[in-house]
Amino acid sequence: MDGKIALIEAGGTKFIVGVGDATRQIHARTRIDTTRPDETIPAAVDWLRAQGGEYVAVGIASFGPLDLDRASPTWGHITRTTKPHWSDADIARPFARAFGCPVMIDTDVNGAALAEWKWGAGQGMNSALYLTVGTGIGGGAVVGGRLIRGLSHPEMGHIRMPRHPADAGFAGHCPFHGDCLEGLAAGPSILARWGASLSDLPDDHIGHQVIAWYLAQAAQTFQAILEPARIILGGGVMATPGLLDRVRLEAATAAAGYFAGNVAEILVAPALGENTGLLGALALTEGPG
Amino acid sequence: MDGKIALIEAGGTKFIVGVGDATRQIHARTRIDTTRPDETIPAAVDWLRAQGGEYVAVGIASFGPLDLDRASPTWGHITRTTKPHWSDADIARPFARAFGCPVMIDTDVNGAALAEWKWGAGQGMNSALYLTVGTGIGGGAVVGGRLIRGLSHPEMGHIRMPRHPADAGFAGHCPFHGDCLEGLAAGPSILARWGASLSDLPDDHIGHQVIAWYLAQAAQTFQAILEPARIILGGGVMATPGLLDRVRLEAATAAAGYFAGNVAEILVAPALGENTGLLGALALTEGPG
């Protein structure tokens, strides 16, 4: 695909907007605070117009949940979210109208999964799962060259979990499910239990062990269902020094050698760095394969 | 595909062998006890020869775990199993040699998932997951018209699970993982706890509630990762009267309306009846789509 591609990483705190091309160059980028749809989206459109305004495609990797059914009248809308003003916001059509070109939209984690599989830590593999562990937990997976999707996109943070023996008293922090994975291992649950982020807790604090154990149990569940060749662990919590190694150790114990491959090779860090979001949006414009 | 198709449902207790065709007629079938590979497989070959011996394809839906990598020297072999004599048994090549035609092999649950999606309870859906709950628990899933597979086929019985409050004292029955789904909800775990199968326990026995709760938690995990349009629950334990309805009830509570679709419509019984195994083998010979 020749020509410039408009890229939007739509997050709950900020929109990162950029201009890229098929060679994966990012020519320009900016940051726009996520306030209200009728402010943030026009600001993104205006900035893209100011960069020249001619685009062959728009790629949007967005927070969710999203309606991704192309046949639906609310395709490209955020569905219901606890984020004020953004329920039912149309993220896709304002860009289609402004630039008159194809718009591809998917979740931020699906974009990241696709980009990491095409160009990053999952390159050359038959399957790769990307999980972000931060303020929330979400994931996407590429299997046989395609993002998996059923009735909707995955909501991988909401899998059910066993409880760490040292953590039995904590109710969990998910407003929907209490002690699902997100309720037990996302940033706010760490803060709720121990009053600090994982990277601010001392090395020998039990929190490191508990969170690594939960992520290892989650990895086992992902292996049992998808047997991904790579499970790529990103997000703010995963930036905690030593955490990935702890997860690998716990995962090897939990899985008891039952699944294909070596879990220490399967569990990896992302490879694309700070441009993952925009590269995710770019990967979406290329489609599968 | 014209002509006769040799069909093998290779189970740990019995092989069901049949002759079918592309119209889904099963012309003949027999049962061969699963003893040792050097007895059972030649007996299956002999029976197929006696039916005429000309086949355009062989479909095998087998117990596992299996090596399904076509490029591997041990493609079509059982890998390691606790079943005596069957570790490293070659299930596929003896049929290829005997009949000189293409052999398709996959797990029994992948075959069932494909057949139920093509012709049964998942027909017309963009995705369907088949789970058998019996002596063991296993599953397969069709997403976007294809069976999902990563480094290997799924082992869905081995997902990690929360514990039912009334079941906290039970260690779990899986030799590998203790209290994974199979360790908590398969037939032997029911027998180990309550000394009878679920269908032999009185209607008001807590076992019904506990097992339904576990299967509902598993359904939530499957929804979070795959959002399947149908989760088809088969196997001996699921034949317990009232169990499917109990699972639906528990699942609606657990998921808290978070996932797409109505879980009471998503959770369904299989539609193909006693021929599921052979129809699974047949579906495998047709390939995807």
Side-chain angles (χ1 to χ4, degrees):
Chain A
M1 194 190 285
D2 288 334
K4 289 193 293 182
I5 302 170
L7 304 172
I8 296 109
E9 178 189 0
T13 307
K14 59 183 188 292
F15 274 41
I16 303 291
V17 188
V19 178
D21 64 33
T23 69
R24 305 200 305 274
Q25 296 278 335
I26 306 293
H27 304 286
R29 53 181 284 164
T30 192
R31 179 203 151 112
I32 297 166
D33 285 341
T34 305
T35 56
R36 306 164 44 100
D38 57 2
E39 292 171 354
T40 308
I41 293 173
V45 167
D46 287 349
W47 183 86
L48 285 166
R49 278 216 180 95
Q51 307 309 304
E54 292 288 321
Y55 299 103
V56 293
V58 178
I60 307 173
S62 177
F63 72 107
L66 294 170
D67 182 348
L68 297 177
D69 177 1
R70 281 261 172 197
S72 159
T74 55
W75 167 79
H77 288 51
I78 305 268
T79 57
R80 40 142 196 59
T81 172
T82 51
K83 190 170 172 56
H85 314 301
W86 287 83
S87 286
D88 304 316
D90 185 349
I91 308 278
R93 281 184 189 78
F95 295 97
R97 273 195 296 267
F99 302 112
C101 64
V103 174
M104 290 299 298
I105 183 169
D106 211 316
T107 62
D108 42 11
V109 283
N110 268 348
L114 197 58
E116 287 284 348
W117 172 74
K118 279 173 179 265
W119 308 310
Q123 207 176 358
M125 302 289 142
N126 79 346
S127 50
L129 184 150
Y130 177 88
L131 193 79
T132 182
V133 186
T135 310
I137 296 183
V142 177
V143 174
R146 292 190 294 189
L147 288 166
I148 53 165
R149 181 180 307 153
L151 289 178
S152 181
H153 54 79
E155 289 283 358
M156 295 197 189
H158 299 274
I159 61 173
R160 297 295 280 132
M161 295 290 291
R163 293 303 288 268
H164 190 284
D167 194 42
F170 180 61
H173 208 267
C174 172
F176 298 97
H177 313 116
D179 57 356
C180 62
L181 174 60
E182 179 169 302
L184 291 172
S189 82
I190 296 169
L191 213 60
R193 288 200 208 65
W194 301 304
S197 72
L198 207 53
S199 51
D200 288 339
L201 293 173
D203 253 14
D204 58 351
H205 190 282
I206 183 114
H208 294 282
Q209 210 175 306
V210 168
I211 297 303
W213 188 87
Y214 282 130
L215 294 172
Q217 309 306 310
Q220 177 173 336
T221 289
F222 296 137
Q223 286 190 283
I225 296 178
L226 297 174
E227 295 263 12
R230 290 291 179 271
I231 298 175
I232 304 162
L233 297 173
V237 172
M238 286 310 304
T240 309
L243 181 57
L244 178 58
D245 283 336
R246 287 180 198 261
V247 177
R248 286 172 167 154
L249 220 66
E250 293 285 356
T253 308
Y258 193 77
F259 304 102
N262 174 350
V263 80
E265 288 170 17
I266 291 170
L267 289 164
V268 294
L272 296 180
E274 59 157 3
N275 276 332
T276 302
L278 292 184
L279 289 176
L282 181 64
L284 294 171
T285 66
E286 295 191 358
Chain B
M1 193 189 285
D2 288 334
K4 288 192 295 182
I5 303 170
L7 304 172
I8 296 108
E9 178 189 0
T13 307
K14 60 184 188 291
F15 274 42
I16 303 291
V17 188
V19 178
D21 65 33
T23 69
R24 304 202 303 275
Q25 296 279 334
I26 307 293
H27 303 285
R29 54 183 284 165
T30 191
R31 178 202 151 114
I32 298 167
D33 285 341
T34 306
T35 56
R36 306 163 44 101
D38 56 3
E39 293 171 354
T40 308
I41 293 172
V45 167
D46 287 348
W47 184 86
L48 285 166
R49 278 214 179 96
Q51 308 309 305
E54 292 289 321
Y55 300 103
V56 294
V58 178
I60 308 174
S62 178
F63 72 108
L66 294 170
D67 182 349
L68 297 177
D69 178 1
R70 282 260 171 195
S72 159
T74 55
W75 167 79
H77 288 52
I78 304 270
T79 58
R80 40 147 194 57
T81 171
T82 52
K83 189 169 173 58
H85 314 301
W86 288 82
S87 285
D88 305 316
D90 184 350
I91 309 276
R93 282 184 188 77
F95 295 97
R97 274 195 294 267
F99 303 112
C101 64
V103 173
M104 290 298 298
I105 183 169
D106 212 316
T107 62
D108 42 12
V109 283
N110 268 349
L114 198 58
E116 286 284 348
W117 172 73
K118 279 173 179 265
W119 308 310
Q123 207 176 359
M125 301 290 143
N126 79 345
S127 50
L129 185 151
Y130 177 88
L131 193 78
T132 181
V133 187
T135 310
I137 296 183
V142 177
V143 174
R146 292 189 293 187
L147 287 166
I148 54 165
R149 181 181 307 152
L151 289 178
S152 182
H153 54 78
E155 289 282 357
M156 296 197 189
H158 299 274
I159 61 173
R160 298 293 281 134
M161 296 289 292
R163 294 302 289 268
H164 189 285
D167 194 42
F170 180 60
H173 208 267
C174 172
F176 298 97
H177 313 116
D179 58 356
C180 62
L181 175 59
E182 179 169 302
L184 292 171
S189 82
I190 295 169
L191 214 59
R193 288 199 210 62
W194 302 304
S197 72
L198 208 53
S199 50
D200 287 340
L201 293 173
D203 253 14
D204 58 354
H205 190 282
I206 182 111
H208 293 282
Q209 210 176 308
V210 168
I211 297 303
W213 188 87
Y214 282 129
L215 294 171
Q217 308 307 309
Q220 177 174 336
T221 289
F222 295 136
Q223 285 190 283
I225 296 177
L226 297 173
E227 295 263 12
R230 290 291 179 271
I231 297 174
I232 304 162
L233 296 173
V237 171
M238 286 310 304
T240 308
L243 182 57
L244 178 58
D245 282 336
R246 287 180 197 261
V247 177
R248 286 173 167 154
L249 219 66
E250 294 284 356
T253 308
Y258 193 77
F259 304 102
N262 174 349
V263 79
E265 289 170 17
I266 291 170
L267 289 164
V268 294
L272 296 179
E274 60 158 4
N275 276 333
T276 303
L278 291 183
L279 290 176
L282 181 65
L284 294 171
T285 67
E286 295 191 357

